[in-house]
């Protein structure tokens, strides 16, 4: 499936952010990485096929599109930036994806836009809090747990692993680090002096059950 | 925006006590066939606010055949495939492409354009 997904979602074909905004930490999730993590979620836990999924901070929609391709029954993609929403819409149309509802909203708004625990699974590649928005990755995590009744799959800087684990376990959740990786964030912004920046990142699963 | 999504959304305006459901008005609606999955519909039943679903569906003129009371997930429902198919149609096959959502307490309106509701609030809201 991974090869099929990577063939279908070739890097060149997915519209990247047409107008990336530095304050939102926008960069597209690498399709190879997306294929690997989505495959892990489905083959390891069965949390995509036949499920209702919410993606927080969907950006260009690479993860949402992958979920539909893996048999998700319905995906709700949340994204605040109008330009990204346009890119997402174009991608949905280009890949002929149905069953994705896009809702333009700010995930960090104090009150939730959704009733609690309506979705099965939450998936996200959140901003890491490096642009005067420290703590935003925890806000995304908290909101994701509020929105879904099953597991949350997310990416967080390895340097925050202990903090996140202690906090989540303190709230009664279980945390599993499913993979460690280096995110290569390309020079999309003039301020990056190097061509790309490598960040150590954990791909984690936060769940209510002890599996 | 599908009615499944509308049923899960509530107002997030500041100070609102009961922002569910959002009032729905539509100027353009499309119907698109979506593959039926009985298990999925059955599992969703207990998460739905049934009254709000029937109201929204009636508003759009697609409520024919929807039972007034929520079907309880149980053996009777498993056998009633036409009821599940009717619910599937209402939840997943009716797309509001142009319209408006409104907070029931503040009256604040949110546009739906190209199927996408814009729920962004200003700083003071």
């Amino acid at each position: 499936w991974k090869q099929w997904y990577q063939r279908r979602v070739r890097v060149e074909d997915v519209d990247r952010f047409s107008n990336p905004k530095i304050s939102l930490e926008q960069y597209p999730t690498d399709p190879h990485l997306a294929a690997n993590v989505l495959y892990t979620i489905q083959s390891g836990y069965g949390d995509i096929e036949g499920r209702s999924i919410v993606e927080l901070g969907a950006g260009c929609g690479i993860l949402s599109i992958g979920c539909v391709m893996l048999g998700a029954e319905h995906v709700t993609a949340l994204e605040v930036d109008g330009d990204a929403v346009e890119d997402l819409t174009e991608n949905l149309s280009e890949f002929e994806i149905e069953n994705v509802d896009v809702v333009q909203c700010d995930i960090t708004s104090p009150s939730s836009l959704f009733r609690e625990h309506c979705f099965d699974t939450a998936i996200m590649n959140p901003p890491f809090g490096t642009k005067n928005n420290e703590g935003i990755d925890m806000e995304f995590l908290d909101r994701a747990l509020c929105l879904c009744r099953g597991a949350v799959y997310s990416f967080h800087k390895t340097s925050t692993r202990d903090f996140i684990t202690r906090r989540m376990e303190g709230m009664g959740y279980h945390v599993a680090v499913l993979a460690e990786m280096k995110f290569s964030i390309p020079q999309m912004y003039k301020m990056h002096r190097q061509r790309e920046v490598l960040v150590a990142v954990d791909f984690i699963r936060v769940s209510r059950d002890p599996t | 925006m599908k009615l499944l999504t509308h049923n899960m959304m509530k107002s997030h305006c500041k100070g609102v006590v009961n922002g569910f459901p959002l009032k729905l008005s539509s100027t353009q609606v499309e119907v698109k066939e979506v593959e039926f999955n009985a298990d999925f519909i059955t599992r969703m039943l207990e998460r739905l606010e049934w009254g709000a679903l029937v109201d929204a569906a009636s508003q759009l003129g697609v409520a024919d055949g929807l039972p007034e009371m929520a079907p309880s997930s149980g053996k009777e429902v498993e056998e009633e495939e036409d009821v599940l198919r009717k619910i599937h149609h209402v939840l997943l096959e009716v797309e509001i492409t142009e319209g408006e959502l409104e907070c029931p307490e503040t009256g604040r309106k949110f546009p739906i354009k190209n199927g996408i509701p814009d729920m962004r609030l200003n700083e003071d809201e």
Side-chain angles (χ1 to χ4, degrees), chain A residues 111-134:
Chain A
S111 174
S112 176
L113 187 54
F114 291 86
R115 298 188 284 113
E116 276 201 342
H117 310 314
C118 284
F119 304 96
D120 289 319
T121 305
I123 299 182
M124 61 194 187
N125 181 4
F128 288 156
T130 58
K131 302 284 174 290
N132 293 327
N133 53 357
E134 199 181 308

Short mmCIF file of all heavy atoms in Angstrom, two decimals, chain A residues 111-134:
data_model
loop_
_atom_site.label_atom_id
_atom_site.label_comp_id
_atom_site.label_asym_id
_atom_site.label_seq_id
_atom_site.Cartn_x
_atom_site.Cartn_y
_atom_site.Cartn_z
N SER A 111 -13.01 27.93 23.33
CA SER A 111 -14.14 27.00 23.41
C SER A 111 -14.10 26.09 22.18
O SER A 111 -13.79 26.54 21.09
CB SER A 111 -15.43 27.83 23.45
OG SER A 111 -16.54 27.00 23.40
N SER A 112 -14.41 24.81 22.36
CA SER A 112 -14.35 23.90 21.22
C SER A 112 -15.51 24.11 20.27
O SER A 112 -16.63 24.40 20.70
CB SER A 112 -14.35 22.45 21.72
OG SER A 112 -14.39 21.57 20.61
N LEU A 113 -15.22 23.94 19.00
CA LEU A 113 -16.24 24.09 17.97
C LEU A 113 -17.09 22.82 17.83
O LEU A 113 -18.10 22.81 17.13
CB LEU A 113 -15.53 24.40 16.65
CG LEU A 113 -16.34 24.76 15.43
CD1 LEU A 113 -17.27 25.91 15.70
CD2 LEU A 113 -15.38 25.13 14.30
N PHE A 114 -16.66 21.77 18.47
CA PHE A 114 -17.35 20.49 18.31
C PHE A 114 -17.77 19.93 19.65
O PHE A 114 -17.14 20.17 20.68
CB PHE A 114 -16.42 19.47 17.63
CG PHE A 114 -16.12 19.79 16.20
CD1 PHE A 114 -15.07 20.63 15.87
CD2 PHE A 114 -16.91 19.25 15.18
CE1 PHE A 114 -14.81 20.94 14.54
CE2 PHE A 114 -16.63 19.55 13.85
CZ PHE A 114 -15.59 20.39 13.53
N ARG A 115 -18.85 19.14 19.62
CA ARG A 115 -19.24 18.39 20.82
C ARG A 115 -18.12 17.39 21.12
O ARG A 115 -17.36 17.00 20.24
CB ARG A 115 -20.57 17.67 20.58
CG ARG A 115 -21.72 18.61 20.30
CD ARG A 115 -23.06 17.88 20.27
NE ARG A 115 -23.31 17.11 19.08
CZ ARG A 115 -23.39 15.79 19.02
NH1 ARG A 115 -23.21 15.05 20.11
NH2 ARG A 115 -23.66 15.17 17.88
N GLU A 116 -18.07 16.98 22.36
CA GLU A 116 -16.94 16.12 22.76
C GLU A 116 -16.98 14.73 22.18
O GLU A 116 -18.05 14.13 22.04
CB GLU A 116 -16.93 15.98 24.28
CG GLU A 116 -16.24 17.12 24.97
CD GLU A 116 -15.79 16.75 26.38
OE1 GLU A 116 -16.30 15.76 26.93
OE2 GLU A 116 -14.92 17.47 26.89
N HIS A 117 -15.79 14.21 21.87
CA HIS A 117 -15.63 12.79 21.54
C HIS A 117 -16.49 12.31 20.38
O HIS A 117 -17.00 11.19 20.40
CB HIS A 117 -15.89 11.92 22.77
CG HIS A 117 -15.14 12.37 23.99
ND1 HIS A 117 -13.80 12.71 23.96
CD2 HIS A 117 -15.54 12.55 25.25
CE1 HIS A 117 -13.42 13.09 25.17
NE2 HIS A 117 -14.44 13.00 25.99
N CYS A 118 -16.66 13.15 19.37
CA CYS A 118 -17.50 12.75 18.25
C CYS A 118 -16.75 11.89 17.22
O CYS A 118 -17.35 11.11 16.51
CB CYS A 118 -18.07 13.98 17.54
SG CYS A 118 -19.43 14.72 18.46
N PHE A 119 -15.44 12.07 17.15
CA PHE A 119 -14.65 11.37 16.13
C PHE A 119 -14.00 10.13 16.73
O PHE A 119 -13.81 10.03 17.93
CB PHE A 119 -13.57 12.31 15.57
CG PHE A 119 -14.13 13.59 15.01
CD1 PHE A 119 -14.16 14.74 15.78
CD2 PHE A 119 -14.66 13.62 13.72
CE1 PHE A 119 -14.70 15.92 15.28
CE2 PHE A 119 -15.19 14.80 13.21
CZ PHE A 119 -15.22 15.95 13.99
N ASP A 120 -13.65 9.18 15.85
CA ASP A 120 -12.96 7.98 16.33
C ASP A 120 -11.49 8.28 16.62
O ASP A 120 -10.98 8.04 17.70
CB ASP A 120 -13.03 6.86 15.28
CG ASP A 120 -14.42 6.27 15.15
OD1 ASP A 120 -15.09 6.09 16.18
OD2 ASP A 120 -14.85 6.00 14.00
N THR A 121 -10.81 8.81 15.59
CA THR A 121 -9.35 8.95 15.65
C THR A 121 -8.95 10.37 15.30
O THR A 121 -9.58 10.99 14.44
CB THR A 121 -8.71 7.99 14.60
OG1 THR A 121 -9.15 6.67 14.81
CG2 THR A 121 -7.18 8.05 14.66
N ALA A 122 -7.92 10.90 15.95
CA ALA A 122 -7.38 12.21 15.59
C ALA A 122 -5.95 12.01 15.07
O ALA A 122 -5.18 11.23 15.63
CB ALA A 122 -7.37 13.15 16.78
N ILE A 123 -5.64 12.71 13.98
CA ILE A 123 -4.30 12.61 13.39
C ILE A 123 -3.81 14.02 13.13
O ILE A 123 -4.60 14.88 12.71
CB ILE A 123 -4.35 11.80 12.07
CG1 ILE A 123 -4.86 10.39 12.35
CG2 ILE A 123 -2.97 11.75 11.42
CD1 ILE A 123 -4.92 9.48 11.14
N MET A 124 -2.53 14.29 13.38
CA MET A 124 -2.06 15.64 13.12
C MET A 124 -0.54 15.74 13.07
O MET A 124 0.17 14.92 13.64
CB MET A 124 -2.57 16.60 14.20
CG MET A 124 -2.11 16.27 15.60
SD MET A 124 -3.06 17.18 16.83
CE MET A 124 -2.16 16.76 18.31
N ASN A 125 -0.09 16.77 12.37
CA ASN A 125 1.31 17.18 12.37
C ASN A 125 1.29 18.64 12.83
O ASN A 125 1.20 19.54 12.01
CB ASN A 125 1.90 17.03 10.97
CG ASN A 125 3.37 17.42 10.93
OD1 ASN A 125 3.98 17.74 11.95
ND2 ASN A 125 3.96 17.40 9.74
N PRO A 126 1.29 18.87 14.15
CA PRO A 126 0.99 20.20 14.67
C PRO A 126 2.19 21.15 14.56
O PRO A 126 3.32 20.69 14.41
CB PRO A 126 0.67 19.93 16.14
CG PRO A 126 1.53 18.75 16.49
CD PRO A 126 1.60 17.92 15.23
N PRO A 127 1.96 22.45 14.68
CA PRO A 127 3.09 23.37 14.81
C PRO A 127 3.83 23.04 16.10
O PRO A 127 3.21 22.59 17.08
CB PRO A 127 2.43 24.74 14.86
CG PRO A 127 1.00 24.50 15.15
CD PRO A 127 0.67 23.12 14.73
N PHE A 128 5.15 23.26 16.10
CA PHE A 128 5.94 22.83 17.27
C PHE A 128 6.12 23.93 18.30
O PHE A 128 6.70 23.70 19.35
CB PHE A 128 7.32 22.33 16.82
CG PHE A 128 7.28 21.00 16.14
CD1 PHE A 128 8.30 20.64 15.27
CD2 PHE A 128 6.25 20.10 16.34
CE1 PHE A 128 8.28 19.39 14.62
CE2 PHE A 128 6.21 18.86 15.72
CZ PHE A 128 7.23 18.52 14.85
N GLY A 129 5.66 25.12 18.01
CA GLY A 129 5.78 26.18 19.01
C GLY A 129 7.10 26.90 18.95
O GLY A 129 7.65 27.33 19.96
N THR A 130 7.63 27.07 17.72
CA THR A 130 8.93 27.70 17.60
C THR A 130 8.84 29.16 17.15
O THR A 130 9.84 29.83 17.01
CB THR A 130 9.80 26.95 16.57
OG1 THR A 130 9.09 26.95 15.32
CG2 THR A 130 10.05 25.52 16.99
N LYS A 131 7.62 29.63 16.93
CA LYS A 131 7.46 30.98 16.37
C LYS A 131 6.58 31.83 17.28
O LYS A 131 5.47 32.18 16.94
CB LYS A 131 6.81 30.90 14.97
CG LYS A 131 7.57 30.08 13.98
CD LYS A 131 8.80 30.79 13.46
CE LYS A 131 9.66 29.94 12.56
NZ LYS A 131 10.37 28.85 13.28
N ASN A 132 7.10 32.15 18.50
CA ASN A 132 6.33 32.94 19.45
C ASN A 132 4.98 32.30 19.76
O ASN A 132 4.02 32.99 20.06
CB ASN A 132 6.08 34.36 18.92
CG ASN A 132 7.38 35.15 18.85
OD1 ASN A 132 8.28 34.95 19.66
ND2 ASN A 132 7.48 36.02 17.87
N ASN A 133 4.93 30.99 19.66
CA ASN A 133 3.67 30.30 19.96
C ASN A 133 3.96 29.07 20.81
O ASN A 133 3.38 28.01 20.61
CB ASN A 133 2.96 29.91 18.65
CG ASN A 133 3.86 29.13 17.71
OD1 ASN A 133 5.03 28.92 18.00
ND2 ASN A 133 3.30 28.67 16.61
N GLU A 134 4.85 29.24 21.76
CA GLU A 134 5.26 28.12 22.60
C GLU A 134 4.06 27.50 23.31
O GLU A 134 3.18 28.19 23.79
CB GLU A 134 6.26 28.59 23.66
CG GLU A 134 7.06 27.47 24.25
CD GLU A 134 8.03 27.95 25.31
OE1 GLU A 134 8.79 28.89 25.01
OE2 GLU A 134 7.99 27.43 26.44
#
